[in-house]
Amino acid sequence: MYALVDCNNFFASCEIVFNPKLRKIPLVILSSNDGCVIARSKEAKVLGIPMCAPLFTFENLIKTHNVVTLSANFSLYSDMSARVMATLASFSFFTEIYSIDEAFLHLEDYKEEALLSLAASIQKKVLQDTGVPVSIGIAETKTLAKIAAHKAKKSGDPFVITKDKIDESIKNFPAQDIWGIGKNSAEKLKTIGVHDALTFKYKEEALIKKHLTVMGLRILHELNGKSCLETNPDSDETKSILSSRTFASDISDFSLLKSALAQFCHLASKKLRQKKLLASFITLFIQTNRFAEKPYESFTAKLKLPIPTSSTSTLLVAVEKLLRSIYKKELSYKRGGILLTDFSSEDLIQQDLLHKANPKEKALNTAIDKVHGKYGSRTLVFAAELSKNKWHKTPLNKSKAYTTSWDELPIVKAKH
Amino acid sequence: MENTPISIFRPSEKEQHKLSLFSTNVQAGFPSQADDHIERTLDLNELIIKHPAATFFVRVEGRSMENAGIFPGDILVVDRSLTPLSENIVIAIIDSEFTVKKILFKEGQIYLLPQNPSYSPIKIEEGMDFQVFGVVTYVIHKAL
């Protein structure tokens, strides 16, 4: 039995815990540089502000309805997420964290009343201990639990899909909203007469396999109550590391662009070292502004590294080469990133006869990582990362780090 | 399977506590009295934070709780998982603001009491914006 616990409007809910003035008003959370909506409170959803919309597209709505906008406060959200997950852990033998605001709890086969009562206890405890409201869907498989959670979110009460109630529970649930089915798959399903989860459940295996391959088959079994999306140990394996950001304003200056990309490179290679991996391929991309007058353009360049490496200094040399090969001074760029792929373990290194790995580099990188760990990542940077101007914006309206900084604790008044 | 769900307690997954061996070498013959003392480091977290996921820190501004030993600038340890009992110090939300008060349950009514004669108690009435955020378990006052 699985319970999917899904936080309601998670980022907005976190903000409300520490700022009661935000209760019951339209609130949107914006991403750091895009100014795109990444979360909305219930009241903002009602106004029709869509997800992933850039801020300027609904400026009127903001003025007329006094919508509050806040920049994302990820230190707060990840700390609160850890608290929610820790609270959930006491209810199950195995809590599987799925995302920052969702987790699957593996449960025994209790009867329906017991499951509903358990779910109500979980909702109550998470709300009391952390202040975050959650919705809970329970079913025999994860895919069905996700559908149950959808229903629970609408009603506000936990929803259980028991073996005998699967059909009535999933009828008219849009195929596109099934876990693992996107727009394209939903279109394919329409061509074979599948428009909701119920018609999917009763479709012939052969047809599903033909149109949606093995993934579709797994979903079919899951909808029929047969669990087959177990935790995949291989999913822990990192296949790529991407570090990219949108720039606060369009950049056309080469050295400013290079400094931003150098910082991304440093972040990515640090993650690589944390996982004790080496990369053989580095890809650099830069993109122009989607909303500007000139048509949108994206440029990519990649390089195979002679020796697999995780050394920032080696990778920075590659970054400069790659950037020079695609940079055009007449264009302005709005977004850039570094992608590292083709990993091998630090323990197995094959060397190129012509290029020898420099043992001093490993010591240098280890030392830098240690300084960053103790004093913060801005204390020591590679020269390539420096630049006179900033490519990133200081977040305009970000709430305090209420739970992760002694200087930013919530204030309580002893004044009346 | 049994119908009633049970609470499952998990062991703490914080930093490991090193279990020391006895502090003196074990020798044949009479053991020393000192051998019974196993070395241990005192961890403030262990003393102060009973429910980590539900524990928050807040800072005090103002003097209305001075008679309870809560002064401006103090840090309060707040536990949301505790149900407030009468005469506990709580963090409450009144009119969308955080406030620190002593809570009193008397004859079916709820009162929020300051601890300073210059301030007046608040009686919670029907329709007031009132919520308890958590119970204050420790007061951290800087002596230097």
Side-chain angles (χ1 to χ4, degrees):
Chain A
M1 231 36 201
Y2 293 97
L4 196 246
V5 180
D6 188 344
C7 300
N8 300 344
N9 308 320
F10 183 57
F11 296 164
S13 296
C14 288
E15 301 282 357
I16 290 169
V17 173
F18 298 97
N19 188 350
K21 293 196 173 78
L22 297 175
R23 293 172 299 178
K24 300 210 170 23
I25 62 159
L27 167 66
V28 300
I29 311 294
L30 305 173
S31 66
S32 340
N33 285 308
D34 290 316
C36 283
V37 176
I38 57 173
R40 305 153 298 169
S41 69
K42 187 167 60 163
E43 294 75 14
K45 280 185 187 167
V46 161
L47 282 181
I49 299 173
M51 280 287 261
C52 307
L55 186 61
F56 67 84
T57 57
F58 54 93
E59 251 157 10
N60 281 324
L61 260 180
I62 293 178
K63 288 197 185 111
T64 51
H65 289 90
N66 294 320
V67 178
V68 174
T69 60
L70 288 173
S71 290
N73 185 348
F74 289 108
S75 341
L76 180 66
Y77 309 151
S78 41
D79 180 75
M80 292 297 278
S81 174
R83 291 167 183 270
V84 169
M85 300 306 170
T87 309
L88 293 176
S90 66
F91 289 98
S92 155
F93 288 107
F94 183 31
T95 305
E96 211 181 310
I97 298 174
Y98 176 63
S99 72
I100 198 172
D101 65 349
E102 287 167 280
F104 286 103
L105 271 56
H106 294 223
L107 302 171
E108 300 294 339
D109 277 331
Y110 302 124
K111 288 202 175 159
E112 186 175 355
E113 311 87 65
L115 287 170
L116 279 170
S117 153
L118 174 64
S121 309
I122 298 175
Q123 263 188 308
K124 185 167 175 219
K125 184 133 181 77
V126 174
L127 184 63
Q128 168 147 5
D129 286 13
T130 70
V132 177
V134 302
S135 300
I136 304 184
I138 300 182
E140 275 179 296
T141 68
K142 287 182 183 176
T143 307
L144 286 171
K146 271 242 173 195
I147 294 178
H150 241 269
K151 290 181 155 330
K153 238 191 234 285
K154 291 224 172 89
S155 70
D157 296 316
F159 195 93
V160 178
I161 299 180
T162 47
K163 233 185 272 223
D164 51 332
K165 288 204 198 143
I166 296 181
D167 287 9
E168 68 188 64
S169 307
I170 69 178
K171 184 170 181 190
N172 295 326
F173 188 81
Q176 193 175 320
D177 292 341
I178 299 174
W179 194 32
I181 301 291
K183 246 194 220 156
N184 292 332
S185 304
E187 289 300 317
K188 285 191 197 153
L189 285 169
K190 257 195 220 160
T191 66
I192 54 170
V194 171
H195 53 273
D196 70 350
L198 187 59
T199 41
F200 195 145
K201 178 181 181 242
Y202 284 104
K203 214 62 195 174
E204 299 82 43
E205 273 196 32
L207 262 179
I208 296 289
K209 181 152 185 212
K210 178 173 175 203
H211 285 84
L212 294 182
T213 76
V214 162
M215 260 325 283
L217 255 190
R218 286 204 199 112
I219 296 172
L220 179 66
H221 289 312
E222 287 255 318
L223 287 173
N224 276 283
K226 279 176 261 167
S227 202
C228 40
L229 292 173
E230 295 303 325
T231 346
N232 182 3
D234 287 344
S235 64
D236 269 354
E237 217 179 84
T238 315
K239 303 239 161 61
S240 66
I241 293 175
L242 170 71
S243 178
S244 78
R245 299 281 145 79
T246 308
F247 309 132
S249 47
D250 296 5
I251 301 177
S252 56
D253 175 64
F254 181 85
S255 59
L256 185 54
L257 206 49
K258 188 181 101 171
S259 85
L261 290 162
Q263 287 179 44
F264 302 153
C265 178
H266 192 167
L267 286 170
S269 55
K270 197 187 249 179
K271 277 192 199 161
L272 202 54
R273 289 192 292 274
Q274 270 167 6
K275 292 175 191 273
K276 299 208 187 300
L277 295 170
L278 307 167
S280 297
F281 250 100
I282 173 170
T283 305
L284 182 153
F285 65 89
I286 43 180
Q287 298 163 343
T288 62
N289 193 335
R290 272 178 206 277
F291 300 103
E293 279 154 18
K294 286 189 183 160
Y296 167 72
E297 287 185 277
S298 175
F299 305 91
T300 312
K302 58 186 184 214
L303 192 60
K304 178 157 169 54
L305 300 156
I307 312 170
T309 181
S310 61
S311 164
T312 309
S313 41
T314 310
L315 291 168
L316 286 176
V317 172
V319 167
E320 166 121 29
K321 270 192 207 158
L322 290 168
L323 183 58
R324 281 203 190 283
S325 71
I326 52 177
Y327 170 75
K328 292 193 180 153
K329 70 173 190 279
E330 63 272 13
L331 292 179
S332 300
Y333 303 94
K334 182 69 173 163
R335 188 178 172 88
I338 297 289
L339 177 70
L340 300 175
T341 50
D342 239 53
F343 297 151
S344 46
S345 163
E346 262 182 6
D347 305 319
L348 321 154
I349 312 170
Q350 281 179 325
Q351 298 221 10
D352 184 316
L353 284 174
L354 299 174
H355 300 91
K356 282 223 176 87
N358 186 348
K360 281 192 187 160
E361 270 185 30
K362 180 164 187 185
L364 173 66
N365 284 302
T366 312
I368 292 175
D369 288 345
K370 274 207 178 121
V371 170
H372 285 181
K374 196 164 176 193
Y375 298 103
S377 55
R378 298 322 302 151
T379 50
L380 199 60
V381 298
F382 283 88
E385 294 179 83
L386 291 174
S387 150
K388 282 210 193 108
N389 305 312
K390 279 204 293 189
W391 59 268
H392 54 91
K393 209 189 257 188
T394 321
L396 274 177
N397 211 12
K398 190 162 131 177
S399 56
K400 300 218 169 121
Y402 300 115
T403 59
T404 52
S405 166
W406 292 111
D407 296 328
E408 299 184 33
L409 297 181
I411 306 290
V412 301
K413 304 270 170 76
K415 281 179 179 176
H416 46 252
Chain B
M1 271 266 102
E2 198 39 71
N3 287 346
T4 340
I6 51 171
S7 277
I8 293 150
F9 296 95
R10 300 176 79 77
S12 159
E13 279 156 2
K14 291 197 308 259
E15 314 92 57
Q16 294 157 344
H17 293 285
K18 288 208 176 96
L19 294 174
S20 301
L21 297 174
F22 286 94
S23 7
T24 59
N25 289 329
V26 175
Q27 289 171 346
F30 292 106
S32 150
Q33 300 239 328
D35 284 338
D36 292 337
H37 297 281
I38 299 185
E39 283 161 23
R40 205 176 176 290
T41 319
L42 292 179
D43 180 359
L44 214 51
N45 287 308
E46 203 183 353
L47 174 73
I48 288 180
I49 304 177
K50 300 297 180 198
H51 308 112
T55 302
F56 297 86
F57 298 103
V58 299
R59 205 176 280 275
V60 179
E61 263 181 19
R63 308 177 59 181
S64 71
M65 295 294 285
E66 283 185 344
N67 290 352
I70 295 175
F71 296 93
D74 286 356
I75 291 178
L76 304 176
V77 183
V78 186
D79 191 332
R80 285 184 65 109
S81 71
L82 302 175
T83 306
L85 301 171
S86 193
E87 308 211 37
N88 281 165
I89 311 278
V90 300
I91 303 300
I93 298 173
I94 291 268
D95 294 332
S96 298
E97 265 202 344
F98 287 126
T99 180
V100 50
K101 289 269 187 282
K102 182 180 248 201
I103 196 168
L104 187 71
F105 301 116
K106 192 171 172 189
E107 287 150 14
Q109 304 289 333
I110 304 176
Y111 300 86
L112 294 181
L113 312 175
Q115 299 294 289
N116 179 329
S118 312
Y119 298 85
S120 345
I122 299 174
K123 181 179 178 201
I124 303 300
E125 312 273 12
E126 195 71 34
M128 266 177 96
D129 174 27
F130 163 72
Q131 222 183 311
V132 171
F133 179 90
V135 176
V136 176
T137 53
Y138 282 88
V139 180
I140 302 174
H141 178 82
K142 189 161 192 269
L144 267 182

